[in-house]
Amino acid sequence: MRDLILKIRNSEYLSISEILSIKVGALLIALFLVSAVTIPFSILISGASGIQIVVPAAFTLTYIVALGLLFTNNPRGSMHFSILSFFVLVGSFISFSSPLYIYLFLFAILSVIIYYQQGFPFFVYGTLLTLFGIAYMLFNVDIFAATTFQSNETLQIVIYQTTLALFYIFFLLYFINSEVANDRYYQEFLSSKKYTQSYLDKIVRLKETKFESERLDPIYQRPSFQQAITEMSTFLGEMNGHRAKEMQELVEFYIYLHDVDIEEALANKNLKYKTRDTIRQLQKYLLNTNNEFTELAYELIAETKEGLDDSITDYATSLDQLLRFETDRIIANAMIYRYLKQEVTQCDKWGRVAQSLEHSEIRELYESKAIKEYLNDRDIGVFMDNEELYKKL
Amino acid sequence: MVNMEISAKTRMQKEIEKQQYRALRSSSIIATTMLGLYGVFILVLLIIERIPPTEIGIYVVIFIGVLASNALAIFNRWSLKTLILLSALNVGFIYTFITYLIFNQSLPGILANLFVAFTIGFIYLDTRIVSINHFLMTLTSSLVIWIFPETLALVDPMNSQLLVINLSIVLIMGFLFVSAVFNNRAKNFNYIKLAKSKENEYRIMDSLFELQNEMMNGPIDRDVFYHDIELFFESFTSKLEMENIFAKRLELIKDIERLTDKQLVKKYKDIPFEIISELKNLSLNSKQKIRYLAYRISQISDHNNRSLNSQNAFNSFRHYDDSDTVKIMIFSAFYIYFRHQDVDREKMDTEAFITWLKKSGLDDLVEPKILSSFYAYKDVIQTIVDEAMSGVEVAL
């Protein structure tokens, strides 16, 4: 329970599927409590008639499947069965009651689907339920009208239908809006991340050059690193219930992988599944390439760096946002061109960071869609119209 | 260092607010459209029910006032705080309006309109608005159920029936509230991650510049650089047959690197300080924007060639499909990596490592039980690692 509360409090660190599991779990607990009170009560009142047997049986079946799927790490499948379970349980209450209950029941089912915050299931189930609701009211005007106090029954039905449709459409818009916001975030995050990977790639290559030219050993080749990682892993492993031998073998394999062509190793069909799986797990943490380990390490190193000047208050990249006068933007544009042409920012054919961009390459950049993040059309136009002058810069 | 941290925090906060604003603004656009649609629906209903025109007129004026204020806020890009306040007022307004109609106009099926109010409130991607929305929905629906049960169209409703309906609504609201909070927290967390990623991007570029300076015989030769730019603008202005209006600006940019703000203001009396501040972006001082931007632009092709998706974009020491032993060994490798000196940084002691691990937020990416063991036995681990690093055989 403590773990669950801790998980909910730190929900932002959970994966989508972990959050879904918690949500399904919570709904299943609520369903269990409600069914424990209502089903025996209902049998006592109405006796064991056909429907009083079928409903609990259907509920129990869907509930057990939902629970089973949840415990077998399939929260998505479990979600669908929990919705079905809710449908059966709540549906059983309203079977003999007011038609208004049927109407409220539709909102309840839609709400449970909204609760999961999954756009596609809402679209599929929501569309079916809304169409069913509208059609049901359309073909049962007399049932609805019989229990209302209103004089204008048709108007009443139309209002009910419109409200249900608005509820569905508005929530559909909500899901679209939420997806668009997520997508915008991912695009921006992935873009920033790709630039970071690009800088890290240059760092790794520069370091390799330095190791080679100064005949230094990279960290992973130093005996002190290999000895220390063996000892620490063994110690921490034993603290967490893993045998020393198991840890030592893993460290040995990890160190060995630094000298192996991973792609080739993974392509080897004779490799045992376990070995292949271990390589897959370890490859992202090798120290001799630009990978996840490098990114994590430089995230920590970044914290120790100064970064931008104190006076800079945002991450704006567009010259428009930085400089309001065109004169200043033309100067900035010339400085950027000069920088691109002179400074070493590219790799040569041997993979060393040793080249700057040539005019034709800069021109390609100015023609690319991506440059619009930095320069507006006028700035690009100034470059294109005076290309020969820039070329001499 | 303290100033640096404050300015980094300011930048990150600004970025987070930018993202929050963007999300709230798009929510507001949709919510205002919904409100408009709903207003039309109610208007038709009032006309059909033959409500007196003066009364309808009042409703129309109120609705137009609300919609107009929203439109103003959206198109004039009012501040985040104002937008939050306005969103809260919108939610309050729609519930008040429907509750008023329920109690004062015998409109058919009006109770169901509370659900529409709820959807309008739900659209706002902000936890505060979500809280207000759920609270008002629970409150108003309960009020209506108990004070005005006729709206449920039940003949002689029993208290038990009302209680079941009320409890069902409370339960569903509770579930939806938790779900919306999860969703908004995840979104806010993403905004923080994005801001952190952008801040890191510049700092990692710092590491790159330092390494590059060290390996490629020093930073840019500024004198040559500015000289080339001056020559370029001489040719540029003569081609366009105009006065060289860039010369003074270039002189100012060069001066920014060596003069204080006071001296700059004194020397360039005719240039407002705001412009001087803007031009600081163009100073070749490595901490200013221009060099970072130019380097970023130089990587556009590399950036476009990289394939990355949201599945493999998130780094961690605790991937769910990695075994426990791998998680332990990788965290050990990470610690020992920092205990060693590398070509671009000094080695760290255990305390420094822990401090930076926490500051960078990377501690959240380590399996909690492994991190707990590390913290609990950090002195023992330090001794073991020190001895192993110095070549002493460690007895375990």
Side-chain angles (χ1 to χ4, degrees), chain A residues 49-66:
Chain A
S49 62
I51 194 110
Q52 257 57 43
I53 303 290
V54 171
V55 169
F59 170 74
T60 313
L61 185 70
T62 50
Y63 190 90
I64 288 172
V65 175

PDB file of all heavy atoms in Angstrom, chain A residues 49-66:
ATOM      1  N   SER A  49     -33.778 -15.125  -9.903  1.00  0.00           N
ATOM      2  CA  SER A  49     -34.374 -15.245 -11.233  1.00  0.00           C
ATOM      3  C   SER A  49     -33.249 -15.290 -12.270  1.00  0.00           C
ATOM      4  O   SER A  49     -32.088 -15.057 -11.935  1.00  0.00           O
ATOM      5  CB  SER A  49     -35.291 -14.058 -11.503  1.00  0.00           C
ATOM      6  OG  SER A  49     -34.526 -12.888 -11.475  1.00  0.00           O
ATOM      7  N   GLY A  50     -33.632 -15.553 -13.537  1.00  0.00           N
ATOM      8  CA  GLY A  50     -32.634 -15.688 -14.614  1.00  0.00           C
ATOM      9  C   GLY A  50     -31.650 -14.547 -14.653  1.00  0.00           C
ATOM     10  O   GLY A  50     -30.435 -14.756 -14.572  1.00  0.00           O
ATOM     11  N   ILE A  51     -32.162 -13.312 -14.711  1.00  0.00           N
ATOM     12  CA  ILE A  51     -31.279 -12.147 -14.859  1.00  0.00           C
ATOM     13  C   ILE A  51     -30.366 -11.981 -13.646  1.00  0.00           C
ATOM     14  O   ILE A  51     -29.228 -11.534 -13.755  1.00  0.00           O
ATOM     15  CB  ILE A  51     -32.109 -10.870 -15.139  1.00  0.00           C
ATOM     16  CG1 ILE A  51     -31.204  -9.733 -15.628  1.00  0.00           C
ATOM     17  CG2 ILE A  51     -32.899 -10.387 -13.947  1.00  0.00           C
ATOM     18  CD1 ILE A  51     -31.415  -9.408 -17.059  1.00  0.00           C
ATOM     19  N   GLN A  52     -30.903 -12.388 -12.457  1.00  0.00           N
ATOM     20  CA  GLN A  52     -30.098 -12.253 -11.244  1.00  0.00           C
ATOM     21  C   GLN A  52     -28.955 -13.260 -11.193  1.00  0.00           C
ATOM     22  O   GLN A  52     -28.069 -13.177 -10.362  1.00  0.00           O
ATOM     23  CB  GLN A  52     -30.993 -12.411  -9.999  1.00  0.00           C
ATOM     24  CG  GLN A  52     -31.340 -11.094  -9.309  1.00  0.00           C
ATOM     25  CD  GLN A  52     -32.019 -10.102 -10.220  1.00  0.00           C
ATOM     26  OE1 GLN A  52     -32.893 -10.455 -10.990  1.00  0.00           O
ATOM     27  NE2 GLN A  52     -31.614  -8.844 -10.142  1.00  0.00           N
ATOM     28  N   ILE A  53     -29.000 -14.257 -12.060  1.00  0.00           N
ATOM     29  CA  ILE A  53     -27.896 -15.214 -12.151  1.00  0.00           C
ATOM     30  C   ILE A  53     -26.930 -14.772 -13.251  1.00  0.00           C
ATOM     31  O   ILE A  53     -25.711 -14.767 -13.070  1.00  0.00           O
ATOM     32  CB  ILE A  53     -28.425 -16.653 -12.477  1.00  0.00           C
ATOM     33  CG1 ILE A  53     -29.432 -17.123 -11.434  1.00  0.00           C
ATOM     34  CG2 ILE A  53     -27.274 -17.641 -12.658  1.00  0.00           C
ATOM     35  CD1 ILE A  53     -28.851 -17.421 -10.068  1.00  0.00           C
ATOM     36  N   VAL A  54     -27.532 -14.378 -14.383  1.00  0.00           N
ATOM     37  CA  VAL A  54     -26.714 -14.043 -15.554  1.00  0.00           C
ATOM     38  C   VAL A  54     -25.821 -12.822 -15.288  1.00  0.00           C
ATOM     39  O   VAL A  54     -24.618 -12.845 -15.581  1.00  0.00           O
ATOM     40  CB  VAL A  54     -27.624 -13.781 -16.797  1.00  0.00           C
ATOM     41  CG1 VAL A  54     -26.815 -13.217 -17.960  1.00  0.00           C
ATOM     42  CG2 VAL A  54     -28.323 -15.057 -17.199  1.00  0.00           C
ATOM     43  N   VAL A  55     -26.405 -11.781 -14.679  1.00  0.00           N
ATOM     44  CA  VAL A  55     -25.624 -10.541 -14.474  1.00  0.00           C
ATOM     45  C   VAL A  55     -24.405 -10.773 -13.573  1.00  0.00           C
ATOM     46  O   VAL A  55     -23.281 -10.446 -13.961  1.00  0.00           O
ATOM     47  CB  VAL A  55     -26.527  -9.396 -13.950  1.00  0.00           C
ATOM     48  CG1 VAL A  55     -25.694  -8.215 -13.473  1.00  0.00           C
ATOM     49  CG2 VAL A  55     -27.487  -8.964 -15.040  1.00  0.00           C
ATOM     50  N   PRO A  56     -24.599 -11.366 -12.367  1.00  0.00           N
ATOM     51  CA  PRO A  56     -23.395 -11.596 -11.541  1.00  0.00           C
ATOM     52  C   PRO A  56     -22.372 -12.491 -12.234  1.00  0.00           C
ATOM     53  O   PRO A  56     -21.176 -12.271 -12.116  1.00  0.00           O
ATOM     54  CB  PRO A  56     -23.933 -12.278 -10.287  1.00  0.00           C
ATOM     55  CG  PRO A  56     -25.360 -11.936 -10.247  1.00  0.00           C
ATOM     56  CD  PRO A  56     -25.812 -11.782 -11.665  1.00  0.00           C
ATOM     57  N   ALA A  57     -22.892 -13.489 -13.000  1.00  0.00           N
ATOM     58  CA  ALA A  57     -21.963 -14.402 -13.685  1.00  0.00           C
ATOM     59  C   ALA A  57     -21.150 -13.639 -14.741  1.00  0.00           C
ATOM     60  O   ALA A  57     -19.922 -13.781 -14.813  1.00  0.00           O
ATOM     61  CB  ALA A  57     -22.740 -15.538 -14.336  1.00  0.00           C
ATOM     62  N   ALA A  58     -21.849 -12.816 -15.519  1.00  0.00           N
ATOM     63  CA  ALA A  58     -21.159 -12.037 -16.554  1.00  0.00           C
ATOM     64  C   ALA A  58     -20.173 -11.061 -15.916  1.00  0.00           C
ATOM     65  O   ALA A  58     -19.041 -10.886 -16.392  1.00  0.00           O
ATOM     66  CB  ALA A  58     -22.181 -11.272 -17.399  1.00  0.00           C
ATOM     67  N   PHE A  59     -20.636 -10.447 -14.818  1.00  0.00           N
ATOM     68  CA  PHE A  59     -19.750  -9.493 -14.131  1.00  0.00           C
ATOM     69  C   PHE A  59     -18.507 -10.206 -13.607  1.00  0.00           C
ATOM     70  O   PHE A  59     -17.378  -9.748 -13.817  1.00  0.00           O
ATOM     71  CB  PHE A  59     -20.504  -8.812 -12.975  1.00  0.00           C
ATOM     72  CG  PHE A  59     -19.596  -8.015 -12.088  1.00  0.00           C
ATOM     73  CD1 PHE A  59     -19.074  -6.800 -12.514  1.00  0.00           C
ATOM     74  CD2 PHE A  59     -19.223  -8.486 -10.828  1.00  0.00           C
ATOM     75  CE1 PHE A  59     -18.204  -6.076 -11.709  1.00  0.00           C
ATOM     76  CE2 PHE A  59     -18.362  -7.780 -10.019  1.00  0.00           C
ATOM     77  CZ  PHE A  59     -17.849  -6.571 -10.464  1.00  0.00           C
ATOM     78  N   THR A  60     -18.725 -11.354 -12.936  1.00  0.00           N
ATOM     79  CA  THR A  60     -17.596 -12.096 -12.361  1.00  0.00           C
ATOM     80  C   THR A  60     -16.603 -12.502 -13.454  1.00  0.00           C
ATOM     81  O   THR A  60     -15.392 -12.365 -13.284  1.00  0.00           O
ATOM     82  CB  THR A  60     -18.097 -13.352 -11.613  1.00  0.00           C
ATOM     83  OG1 THR A  60     -19.176 -12.962 -10.781  1.00  0.00           O
ATOM     84  CG2 THR A  60     -17.012 -13.989 -10.781  1.00  0.00           C
ATOM     85  N   LEU A  61     -17.148 -12.954 -14.568  1.00  0.00           N
ATOM     86  CA  LEU A  61     -16.289 -13.399 -15.666  1.00  0.00           C
ATOM     87  C   LEU A  61     -15.424 -12.234 -16.192  1.00  0.00           C
ATOM     88  O   LEU A  61     -14.193 -12.343 -16.283  1.00  0.00           O
ATOM     89  CB  LEU A  61     -17.152 -13.966 -16.798  1.00  0.00           C
ATOM     90  CG  LEU A  61     -16.374 -14.580 -17.952  1.00  0.00           C
ATOM     91  CD1 LEU A  61     -15.708 -15.880 -17.514  1.00  0.00           C
ATOM     92  CD2 LEU A  61     -17.287 -14.847 -19.154  1.00  0.00           C
ATOM     93  N   THR A  62     -16.072 -11.126 -16.523  1.00  0.00           N
ATOM     94  CA  THR A  62     -15.316  -9.982 -17.083  1.00  0.00           C
ATOM     95  C   THR A  62     -14.326  -9.443 -16.039  1.00  0.00           C
ATOM     96  O   THR A  62     -13.212  -9.053 -16.373  1.00  0.00           O
ATOM     97  CB  THR A  62     -16.260  -8.843 -17.523  1.00  0.00           C
ATOM     98  OG1 THR A  62     -17.153  -8.561 -16.457  1.00  0.00           O
ATOM     99  CG2 THR A  62     -17.041  -9.229 -18.761  1.00  0.00           C
ATOM    100  N   TYR A  63     -14.771  -9.470 -14.778  1.00  0.00           N
ATOM    101  CA  TYR A  63     -13.912  -8.955 -13.707  1.00  0.00           C
ATOM    102  C   TYR A  63     -12.651  -9.809 -13.561  1.00  0.00           C
ATOM    103  O   TYR A  63     -11.536  -9.295 -13.467  1.00  0.00           O
ATOM    104  CB  TYR A  63     -14.699  -8.941 -12.387  1.00  0.00           C
ATOM    105  CG  TYR A  63     -13.991  -8.211 -11.269  1.00  0.00           C
ATOM    106  CD1 TYR A  63     -14.192  -6.848 -11.065  1.00  0.00           C
ATOM    107  CD2 TYR A  63     -13.116  -8.876 -10.410  1.00  0.00           C
ATOM    108  CE1 TYR A  63     -13.544  -6.165 -10.047  1.00  0.00           C
ATOM    109  CE2 TYR A  63     -12.465  -8.204  -9.392  1.00  0.00           C
ATOM    110  CZ  TYR A  63     -12.686  -6.852  -9.214  1.00  0.00           C
ATOM    111  OH  TYR A  63     -12.024  -6.174  -8.211  1.00  0.00           O
ATOM    112  N   ILE A  64     -12.845 -11.138 -13.584  1.00  0.00           N
ATOM    113  CA  ILE A  64     -11.697 -12.051 -13.427  1.00  0.00           C
ATOM    114  C   ILE A  64     -10.725 -11.893 -14.607  1.00  0.00           C
ATOM    115  O   ILE A  64      -9.508 -11.855 -14.425  1.00  0.00           O
ATOM    116  CB  ILE A  64     -12.174 -13.522 -13.265  1.00  0.00           C
ATOM    117  CG1 ILE A  64     -12.794 -13.681 -11.873  1.00  0.00           C
ATOM    118  CG2 ILE A  64     -11.024 -14.516 -13.444  1.00  0.00           C
ATOM    119  CD1 ILE A  64     -13.471 -15.010 -11.648  1.00  0.00           C
ATOM    120  N   VAL A  65     -11.288 -11.754 -15.817  1.00  0.00           N
ATOM    121  CA  VAL A  65     -10.411 -11.578 -16.993  1.00  0.00           C
ATOM    122  C   VAL A  65      -9.618 -10.272 -16.843  1.00  0.00           C
ATOM    123  O   VAL A  65      -8.395 -10.230 -17.072  1.00  0.00           O
ATOM    124  CB  VAL A  65     -11.237 -11.569 -18.313  1.00  0.00           C
ATOM    125  CG1 VAL A  65     -10.341 -11.264 -19.498  1.00  0.00           C
ATOM    126  CG2 VAL A  65     -11.934 -12.901 -18.516  1.00  0.00           C
ATOM    127  N   ALA A  66     -10.309  -9.198 -16.413  1.00  0.00           N
ATOM    128  CA  ALA A  66      -9.628  -7.901 -16.240  1.00  0.00           C
ATOM    129  C   ALA A  66      -8.501  -8.036 -15.217  1.00  0.00           C
ATOM    130  O   ALA A  66      -7.378  -7.558 -15.428  1.00  0.00           O
ATOM    131  CB  ALA A  66     -10.631  -6.836 -15.803  1.00  0.00           C
TER     132      ALA A  66
END
